Amino acid sequence: MLAQMSTVQKLSGMKPGDGLIESHGKGLIKPAGQVELSETALQEEITRILTTNNPHAPQNIVRYSFKDRSYKTCIVDQMAVLFEMEGSLVHEDSDEGRRLRARGGLCEEAATVDTETEPDEEKTETPATPAEDGGEVEEVGEEDRPDSVASKIDRKEPKQTNQFNFSERASQTLNNPQRDRSCQTEPPPRCTFSATASQWEIYDAYVEELQQPEKSQSDDATKLKKAAKILERMVHQNIFDDIAQDFKYFEDPSDEFRDPEGTLLPLWKFHYDKAKRLSVTALCWNNKYQDLFAVGMGSYDFRKQGHGMLLIYTLKNSWFPEHVYPTTSGAMCLDIHKECSYLVAVGFHNGCVAVYNLKQEGTEPVFKSTAKTGEHTDPVWQVRWQKDDMDNNHNFYSVSADGRVVSWTLVKTELVFTDIIRLSMNGTISEGLEHAPQSSIACGTAFDFHQQIDYLFLVGTEDGKIHKCSKTYSSQFLETFDAHNMAVHAVKWNHFHPKVFISCSSDYTVKIWDHTINTPMFTFDLSAAVADVSWSPYSSTVFAAVTTDGRVHVFDLSVNKYEAICQQAVVSKKTQLTHVEFNPIYPIIIVGDNRGYVNSLKLSPNLRKKPKAKKGQELPEGPEVEVAKMEKLLSLLREPEQSTF
Amino acid sequence: MAGTGEGKKEEDYKRLHSFPLIRHTDMPEEMRVETMELCVTACEKFATNNESAAKMIKESMDKKFGSSWHVVIGEGFGFEVTHEVKNLLYMFFGGSLAVCVWKCS
C-alpha cells in the first residue's frame, strides 16, 4: 500500500515533471497559486518518517485466555487502509479471458482486454507501458481479427450451463456376490505303534538277532526257490509241449476203425534218481489238485528191504517231485485225505504208520506210530482215510500182515490206535482166542471200505480169502469169500454200484463180486500175476488191471464181458507193473513199476465211451445210470447161475 | 575263575550286542539307513546323556525330513504313539538302549 502511495506520488510528481522536461527550453511554467518559497525555505529539510506502526491503534488491550486462565495482551491489527481499488483485469490466456473474448468478439467495450488494446491500436504513445507489452497486445489484436469469423461461429456454441442448476446421477454395476469356499488336502496317513522297551526285551532281541543269520540266508533261498520253480515249470512246459498238447487234445483217430478196442497213449514218465533202486509200492491222486499225486517207494522183495521214499509229483513237472520225504523203511502204501488234501498217511514195511503234512517244512512226518502205541509188527499193506470221528479228529485205518486192522486217530500230537479186527486163518477171532497158539494169523493184504454202509469193509488176505467185516463186530466176519488161490493184492468197491467189488491176485485172476453172493460174478484170467486193479471214476463197468508182465488191461464190461478192450504193454517185459490209478477227472491213468518209474497214460476215446444216444433221446447221466448199467449185467449172470444151483 | 569267565561273557555280550538292531520300522530303505546312522552317531556322541542324544536326533531329523519329529531314548519305557505312515523307527542300540523315532505333526 505504501508502494502504491509512492507510485501515485511519482505519477503525480512526474506529470508536472513531463511538462518540465518538454518545456525545458521554453522556461518554467508554474501553476497558478504556487507558494513562493524563499531559498532558505527551499533548502530546509523536513523529515517525514513512514512507519508500520499505527499510531492510532490501541496498545493496551488484554483478552482473557481460557487456555492459560489469565489475561493476555493481544496483538492489534496495525493495518490501515489508505487506498483500495478493485481491478477488473483478466489474463487473456486464461479460460475466462478466452471465453469473454469469444463472446464479445465484436463488442469491444465488453472485455477489458479489448479496452486495453484499443488505445494500442490507436497507437497512442503511452510511455508507462513497456514496448514488450505493446507487442504482445498487438499480437493478440492481430489474432483477434482473423478470428472474428470464428468468434461468430463460437457464439453459436451451446449455452454455458448454469452451474448452479444441476442434478447429479450415479449408478453402479451389480457387484458379484461373494462366496467362501475352502478345502483341505487329505492329511498324511497315520498309524499307531506301541512297544515296550526293557532290558530283557532288548537282550532277547539281540540274542534272537544273533541266531538269525542262518535263517535269513535260508529266507533268500526260499525266495529264489519260488522263482526257480516257476522257471522250471516254464522250461518243462516248453520242452514237453507236445505231451501237454496230447494230454489235452489228442484223441486217437484210429479208434473209429478199431471199435470197440482202444489204446493207451504214453504221456509223461516220472522218475526220481534218488529212488532208483526202489519200486513203486503205492499211488494215490490228490482229490483237490487233480494234477498232484503221491507215490510210495519201497520194495516188495523182503530180502532187499531198506530205505523208502514218499514222493509227491505233479503232472506239470515230470523231472522232479514237488515234495520228497525220505523214509528209513520202505513205504508200502499211502492214502491222501479227501478233504484235507495235505495230509498223507503212509504205511511202512517195518509196521509203522505215519502221517505227513505237505504244508509243513521238513521231511519228518507230523504223526508217527511207535512200538508203544500199537504199531504193526509186519508190513502195513494198506492205509485208508476215513471220515472224521465224532470229535472231528482225523482218523485212518491200516491193515497189516500181522493180521490186525487198526484204526488210528490223530489226537493233537499223537496217534491213538484202536484194534478193529484180528484176522485168523480159520474163520473168526472168537475161535482164535480160545486156542490162540494153534490158530495161525491170516495176513491182511488189502482192504476197502464201503462208501455208503459205514461199518462195512472188506479185507483181502495173503491166503486168498476175502473177509467181509464190520467195524462194530471185532470178533466175527460177516462173510468169507474163498476168492483166490494166492495172495489178494487189491480189493475195491465199485464207485457206483453199492454191491459190487473187484479183487485181484497173484493167481492171474481178476474177479468181480456181488457181496451178497458167495461166488464171483466175473472171472478174468490175465495170464500173469495181477498186481493191482482199479475201477474207473467215470463208468461203473470200466476197470484197469496191471500185471507183472508189464501190461495194462482195460475192461469195459458193458462192451465186452470176456476180454479186455485194451491190452497194452507199457514197459519192457522184464519190468513188473505194481500199481494203477485213474485220475479222478482227466482221462489218464498212472501206472507204477518195480523200477521206480511212474508212467502216465491217456485212455483213447474207446476206453471211456459213453453208451450211444438213440436218436431224439436225451442221454441220461449220473450215478443211477451207471448203477443201472451194472445191474443189467449182473442180472444177466445171476439167473443162469441160480439155475445151475 | 568263574568271575573271569563271567566277565568274559559279559564282555562278549557287550561286544556282540553293540550293533544297532532295528526292531520295527516302516521307513523306506534310504531313510531308514540314514536315521539309523544318525541314532548311532548321537548315542555314541552322548553316551551318558540320553537327553542330548535325543535332542540331536530330533533336530537333525527335523532338518532333514521336515518338522515334528519325536525321539525317545531310554533303557526301559513303554509307549504307544501315533505316527505318520513310513515315518517310524524303533531300534535297539548298544545292548541296553532303545531308541524310538517317529514323525507326527
Side-chain angles (χ1 to χ4, degrees):
Chain A
M1 199 55 65
L2 288 171
Q4 260 185 2
M5 249 167 73
S6 67
T7 50
V8 170
Q9 266 186 345
K10 257 188 191 171
L11 284 169
S12 59
M14 270 175 108
K15 266 181 183 163
D18 277 346
L20 276 175
I21 294 161
E22 276 178 39
S23 58
H24 200 269
K26 290 165 193 177
L28 281 165
I29 299 165
K30 289 181 182 175
Q34 189 175 0
V35 181
E36 286 288 323
L37 287 173
S38 64
E39 200 69 19
T40 49
L42 282 171
Q43 290 294 314
E44 193 182 351
E45 284 186 2
I46 298 160
T47 315
R48 194 174 281 184
I49 304 163
L50 291 172
T51 64
T52 56
N53 284 337
N54 183 1
H56 304 295
Q59 299 289 320
N60 53 351
I61 289 174
V62 289
R63 200 166 277 170
Y64 186 77
S65 165
F66 288 94
K67 188 183 167 198
D68 298 333
R69 296 172 187 248
S70 62
Y71 287 95
K72 291 207 160 170
T73 54
C74 58
I75 297 148
V76 180
D77 192 6
Q78 299 284 342
M79 189 177 76
V81 179
L82 296 178
F83 177 77
E84 196 174 1
M85 194 176 87
E86 292 265 323
S88 58
L89 292 170
V90 175
H91 195 275
E92 58 175 346
D93 284 343
S94 69
D95 284 347
E96 199 180 354
R98 279 176 202 280
R99 223 168 22 240
L100 288 170
R101 221 162 37 184
R103 197 188 297 169
L106 288 175
C107 44
E108 287 106 320
E109 68 274 351
T112 45
V113 181
D114 289 355
T115 51
E116 257 187 48
T117 53
E118 246 180 5
D120 281 359
E121 280 171 357
E122 284 164 355
K123 306 237 171 166
T124 50
E125 271 184 27
T126 45
T129 50
E132 276 186 90
D133 269 7
E136 261 190 52
V137 173
E138 265 190 0
E139 275 179 26
V140 174
E142 277 167 11
E143 262 187 359
D144 242 10
R145 257 179 233 146
D147 274 354
S148 56
V149 186
S151 61
K152 273 179 191 169
I153 300 158
D154 280 357
R155 289 182 85 177
K156 287 169 193 171
E157 220 174 28
K159 228 171 137 188
Q160 189 82 20
T161 49
N162 182 353
Q163 291 187 346
F164 302 100
N165 181 19
F166 64 92
S167 63
E168 216 171 63
R169 266 186 210 176
S171 72
Q172 193 179 10
T173 55
L174 186 71
N175 278 346
N176 284 328
Q178 291 188 337
R179 212 174 274 170
D180 281 344
R181 196 166 279 183
S182 57
C183 72
Q184 194 185 6
T185 56
E186 191 129 321
R190 294 180 173 187
C191 60
T192 57
F193 171 70
S194 60
T196 309
S198 56
Q199 288 305 296
W200 50 92
E201 290 217 7
I202 295 172
Y203 180 84
D204 286 351
Y206 272 109
V207 169
E208 197 180 299
E209 179 66 19
L210 286 172
Q211 290 163 351
Q212 205 72 28
E214 305 116 46
K215 249 189 199 173
S216 63
Q217 276 174 7
S218 67
D219 280 353
D220 292 346
T222 49
K223 267 183 208 166
L224 188 67
K225 200 174 161 188
K226 198 183 176 194
K229 193 168 181 177
I230 292 169
L231 206 65
E232 189 186 18
R233 289 263 175 101
M234 286 165 73
V235 171
H236 185 269
Q237 194 183 352
N238 282 348
I239 290 177
F240 294 100
D241 184 48
D242 49 343
I243 295 184
Q245 297 289 340
D246 283 350
F247 163 69
K248 193 78 186 162
Y249 302 111
F250 180 76
E251 303 292 1
D252 197 346
S254 61
D255 262 25
E256 276 182 44
F257 312 103
R258 225 195 328 253
D259 197 45
E261 284 175 13
T263 57
L264 294 166
L265 175 75
L267 298 174
W268 300 279
K269 200 170 199 179
F270 300 89
H271 183 62
Y272 184 48
D273 267 349
K274 286 183 183 165
K276 215 183 224 169
R277 299 278 167 77
L278 301 172
S279 62
V280 175
T281 54
L283 290 173
C284 187
W285 285 99
N286 190 314
N287 214 34
K288 189 171 174 190
Y289 304 102
Q290 278 90 13
D291 60 310
L292 208 64
F293 61 93
V295 181
M297 306 294 273
S299 171
Y300 282 119
D301 191 338
F302 75 96
R303 293 166 301 180
K304 282 195 218 158
Q305 283 304 325
H307 72 287
M309 215 169 268
L310 168 65
L311 307 174
I312 312 292
Y313 276 108
T314 167
L315 295 181
K316 290 166 187 164
N317 187 354
S318 61
W319 283 327
F320 204 82
E322 287 289 294
H323 300 275
V324 178
Y325 298 95
T327 58
T328 47
S329 179
M332 298 309 286
C333 51
L334 60 84
D335 194 28
I336 299 177
H337 199 280
K338 290 276 180 290
E339 279 88 40
C340 310
S341 55
Y342 51 88
L343 287 178
V344 183
V346 185
F348 293 101
H349 192 268
N350 61 4
C352 173
V353 289
V355 177
Y356 287 86
N357 188 341
L358 303 187
K359 278 181 178 175
Q360 278 186 9
E361 295 280 320
T363 56
E364 287 305 306
V366 284
F367 296 97
K368 197 170 181 187
S369 70
T370 59
K372 221 199 284 180
T373 58
E375 72 175 13
H376 295 286
T377 51
D378 275 313
V380 183
W381 286 109
Q382 196 157 12
V383 286
R384 186 61 60 94
W385 286 100
Q386 290 296 293
K387 281 187 197 119
D388 294 355
D389 66 9
M390 281 180 288
D391 300 331
N392 282 331
N393 290 321
H394 301 307
N395 68 95
F396 66 92
Y397 281 65
S398 66
V399 64
S400 160
D402 64 1
R404 286 158 67 212
V405 176
V406 180
S407 153
W408 303 89
T409 312
L410 281 61
V411 183
K412 284 176 188 168
T413 53
E414 54 180 352
L415 279 175
V416 176
F417 82 102
T418 318
D419 271 0
I420 296 299
I421 211 160
R422 208 177 273 270
L423 308 169
S424 67
M425 279 290 202
N426 26 355
T428 57
I429 199 78
S430 54
E431 295 165 32
L433 272 173
E434 282 163 20
H435 35 93
Q438 286 91 339
S439 82
S440 52
I441 296 159
C443 304
T445 53
F447 67 168
D448 195 20
F449 293 85
H450 198 277
Q451 279 161 331
Q452 283 142 27
I453 308 164
D454 193 43
Y455 60 84
L456 196 66
F457 69 98
L458 298 164
V459 183
T461 60
E462 212 169 48
D463 54 349
K465 288 194 170 58
I466 294 173
H467 303 293
K468 189 165 82 178
C469 311
S470 162
K471 287 179 191 172
T472 46
Y473 301 105
S474 60
S475 55
Q476 228 173 329
F477 299 137
L478 297 180
E479 199 161 349
T480 299
F481 305 92
D482 265 330
H484 295 280
N485 301 321
M486 290 177 80
V488 178
H489 286 311
V491 179
K492 277 170 191 175
W493 288 103
N494 190 290
H495 294 305
F496 299 95
H497 198 284
K499 286 181 177 176
V500 177
F501 69 90
I502 195 167
S503 68
C504 70
S505 163
S506 299
D507 66 358
Y508 292 15
T509 57
V510 171
K511 289 180 180 177
I512 292 174
W513 306 77
D514 181 334
H515 78 84
T516 54
I517 297 167
N518 252 340
T519 51
M521 306 303 285
F522 295 96
T523 304
F524 303 99
D525 194 321
L526 301 183
S527 66
V530 186
D532 195 15
V533 70
S534 182
W535 288 106
S536 79
Y538 53 86
S539 168
S540 64
T541 54
V542 176
F543 66 89
V546 287
T547 52
T548 50
D549 59 353
R551 287 197 292 179
V552 179
H553 307 255
V554 182
F555 288 83
D556 189 344
L557 300 179
S558 63
V559 175
N560 192 332
K561 288 195 280 287
Y562 310 103
E563 280 183 344
I565 52 172
C566 173
Q567 262 188 48
Q568 195 169 322
V570 295
V571 290
S572 64
K573 197 112 193 195
K574 280 179 189 168
T575 312
Q576 299 176 1
L577 291 180
T578 54
H579 282 278
V580 60
E581 280 295 334
F582 280 89
N583 185 291
I585 296 237
Y586 305 115
I588 60 166
I589 54 172
I590 42 172
V591 294
D593 63 32
N594 66 346
R595 294 193 176 193
Y597 286 87
V598 176
N599 290 292
S600 54
L601 306 161
K602 181 166 181 168
L603 303 161
S604 73
N606 273 354
L607 302 181
R608 47 195 161 93
K609 205 161 49 178
K610 294 261 160 73
K612 272 180 198 163
K614 282 167 192 160
K615 273 174 198 170
Q617 187 188 352
E618 217 169 281
L619 195 67
E621 274 180 24
E624 296 82 17
V625 184
E626 297 294 338
V627 173
K629 196 160 76 173
M630 192 56 148
E631 190 59 40
K632 196 176 155 193
L633 280 170
L634 294 178
S635 61
L636 284 174
L637 289 163
R638 266 178 213 142
E639 281 153 22
E641 258 182 53
Q642 277 164 359
S643 61
T644 54
F645 264 98
Chain B
M1 200 70 169
T4 54
E6 193 81 349
K8 200 180 177 186
K9 202 177 175 186
E10 201 162 290
E11 201 175 74
D12 209 34
Y13 168 78
K14 280 205 170 152
R15 188 175 53 79
L16 282 171
H17 291 193
S18 59
F19 60 91
L21 169 61
I22 291 180
R23 194 70 178 138
H24 177 89
T25 184
D26 55 359
M27 285 180 182
E29 173 80 25
E30 203 175 308
M31 190 176 179
R32 187 178 67 210
V33 171
E34 201 169 320
T35 311
M36 191 186 79
E37 278 170 3
L38 174 65
C39 289
V40 169
T41 313
C43 288
E44 279 174 350
K45 192 174 173 189
F46 302 103
T48 53
N49 190 348
N50 289 346
E51 201 178 323
S52 307
K55 193 174 179 182
M56 177 185 169
I57 296 171
K58 186 210 151 43
E59 280 168 2
S60 309
M61 290 302 282
D62 279 352
K63 267 183 215 161
K64 274 181 194 158
F65 301 108
S67 65
S68 292
W69 284 87
H70 312 268
V71 180
V72 178
I73 300 180
E75 298 198 343
F77 56 89
F79 60 92
E80 162 133 355
V81 297
T82 302
H83 64 93
E84 284 177 21
V85 170
K86 305 224 169 199
N87 284 298
L88 172 87
L89 179 92
Y90 177 47
M91 59 177 269
F92 297 154
F93 177 68
S96 63
L97 273 186
V99 183
C100 185
V101 184
W102 77 94
K103 180 183 179 173
C104 184
S105 40

